[in-house]
Amino acid sequence: MDYKNILQKCINKICYITINRPKYLNALNNLTIKELSHALYSTSKNKTIRCVVITGAENKAFVAGADIKEFSSFNKTQGSQLSKDGHEKLFNIIENLAIPCIAAINGFALGGGLELAMACHIRVASINAKLGLPEVSLGIIPGYGGTQRLPNLVGKGIAMEMIMTAKMISAEEANKIGLVNHVCKQEDLLNICTSIAEKIKRNSSSAISSAIKSINSCYKTGVNGYDVEIELFGKCFETNDFTEGTNAFIEKRKPNFN
Ligand code: CAA
């Protein structure tokens, strides 16, 4: 598939996806969501890819939200569908991806943009980034998972305040409240994400996929995360990576995971 609104390149088993609508601050329109969904699906089927990094084109924005112009005339049914499609086609897919996904937040991450970053497994922000969920200033609520993932990441009280005030916070503030893991200079952002991805790459990909599944189960209603952990822990013992990892330890060498 040829993409119009995203760029994709894979280097050393790391797939870099750039949302490329800088004229509109990389706002997520329908086509961009479709393309991201397709790119992530095909990446997840490519067994050689070990990590995904998502960022925004140019220096101003990661993603400034869902495309307001596209939904400004929507009715209730269309509004619900917009939200449902976003959850099903993109945001839930990223959260449950078997490959680690890092958000490289290079500028504004607002509304759907922050929601995209929050669906990723790890977030790194450049110092110029501004983060927020301004939806209530538009007469709507966050619709791509923000009311669920923000309290999970920063706690209910801070999430309530951020959503109700619609305020933007700095990268440093986001780091203080646990919304992003690291803050760096803009020119270092992709290098830092790459170095995290390189560390991840040294470890067992099958164990990492199971860890993502087990951690995510902590946030699923009606699911006992401890039971999920017990089951997935047991399954690890059937993998080649378990044999390689434990043999390498005993033989006092570095493991060689494929
Ligand atoms: N949707 C559509 N277009 C957007 C956009 C968005 N979310 N954000 C920015 N743009 C467009 C602007 O309309 C403008 O295009 P034109 O030149 O054609 O008018 C262009 O990008 C540049 O933006 P600005 O001129 O506004 O740039 P600025 O530097 O003055 O302001 C900003 C930057 C503060 C980020 C401002 O653009 C802004 O407030 N954007 C909207 C942020 C927002 O409300 N996001 C939430 C969207 S709703 C949502 O995401 C719902 C959901 O959960 C599903």
Side-chain angles (χ1 to χ4, degrees), residues 195-216:
S195 75
I196 295 170
E198 290 293 343
K199 283 187 190 130
I200 290 171
K201 264 170 57 184
R202 285 183 219 140
N203 299 314
S204 153
S205 57
S206 63
I208 285 171
S209 299
S210 293
I212 292 172
K213 227 188 224 178
S214 190
I215 293 166
N216 281 345

Side-chain angles (χ1 to χ4, degrees), residues 105-174:
I105 306 170
N106 56 311
F108 287 115
L110 301 175
L114 179 54
E115 291 172 301
L116 177 68
M118 290 193 294
C120 294
H121 304 120
I122 294 171
R123 283 154 293 286
V124 182
S126 56
I127 194 78
N128 61 306
K130 293 261 183 262
L131 304 89
L133 292 178
E135 283 89 344
V136 297
S137 72
L138 297 165
I140 53 174
I141 64 168
Y144 286 155
T147 63
Q148 308 303 299
R149 293 192 180 101
L150 187 62
N152 282 339
L153 283 165
V154 303
K156 184 176 169 185
I158 292 173
M160 284 278 189
E161 184 178 334
M162 277 184 69
I163 290 172
M164 288 193 281
T165 59
K167 71 177 176 183
M168 287 186 216
I169 62 171
S170 67
E172 277 168 343
E173 221 178 324

Side-chain angles (χ1 to χ4, degrees), residues 19-227:
I19 298 152
N20 189 29
R21 293 183 82 213
K23 196 163 174 254
Y24 305 106
L25 305 187
N26 304 320
L28 293 177
N29 63 356
N30 187 30
L31 179 64
T32 310
I33 290 194
K34 254 193 209 153
E35 292 185 354
L36 280 169
S37 179
H38 183 274
L40 287 160
Y41 178 77
S42 51
T43 302
S44 72
K45 297 283 156 219
N46 181 342
K47 296 286 172 229
T48 64
I49 300 297
R50 301 290 305 278
C51 195
V52 177
V53 177
I54 301 180
T55 194
E58 299 190 358
N59 292 336
K60 192 167 168 182
F62 173 67
V63 169
D67 192 314
I68 300 167
K69 292 162 198 161
E70 207 173 60
F71 68 68
S72 61
S73 62
F74 278 12
N75 61 24
K76 181 183 163 191
T77 312
Q78 291 168 307
S80 298
Q81 197 60 47
L82 178 83
S83 175
K84 190 168 184 288
D85 283 349
H87 283 277
E88 288 172 359
K89 293 186 181 152
L90 183 60
F91 294 78
N92 293 349
I93 288 179
I94 295 177
E95 185 169 72
N96 296 308
L97 213 61
I99 310 168
C101 192
I102 303 174
I105 306 170
N106 56 311
F108 287 115
L110 301 175
L114 179 54
E115 291 172 301
L116 177 68
M118 290 193 294
C120 294
H121 304 120
I122 294 171
R123 283 154 293 286
V124 182
S126 56
I127 194 78
N128 61 306
K130 293 261 183 262
L131 304 89
L133 292 178
E135 283 89 344
V136 297
S137 72
L138 297 165
I140 53 174
I141 64 168
Y144 286 155
T147 63
Q148 308 303 299
R149 293 192 180 101
L150 187 62
N152 282 339
L153 283 165
V154 303
K156 184 176 169 185
I158 292 173
M160 284 278 189
E161 184 178 334
M162 277 184 69
I163 290 172
M164 288 193 281
T165 59
K167 71 177 176 183
M168 287 186 216
I169 62 171
S170 67
E172 277 168 343
E173 221 178 324
N175 184 226
K176 232 187 273 167
I177 62 173
L179 184 52
V180 302
N181 297 17
H182 308 278
V183 179
C184 62
K185 289 188 200 152
Q186 192 164 45
E187 60 268 33
D188 296 335
L189 183 61
L190 285 184
N191 284 341
I192 289 189
C193 292
T194 301
S195 75
I196 295 170
E198 290 293 343
K199 283 187 190 130
I200 290 171
K201 264 170 57 184
R202 285 183 219 140
N203 299 314
S204 153
S205 57
S206 63
I208 285 171
S209 299
S210 293
I212 292 172
K213 227 188 224 178
S214 190
I215 293 166
N216 281 345
S217 70
C218 176
Y219 301 94
K220 293 204 166 109
T221 341
V223 175
N224 183 325
Y226 293 99
D227 289 343

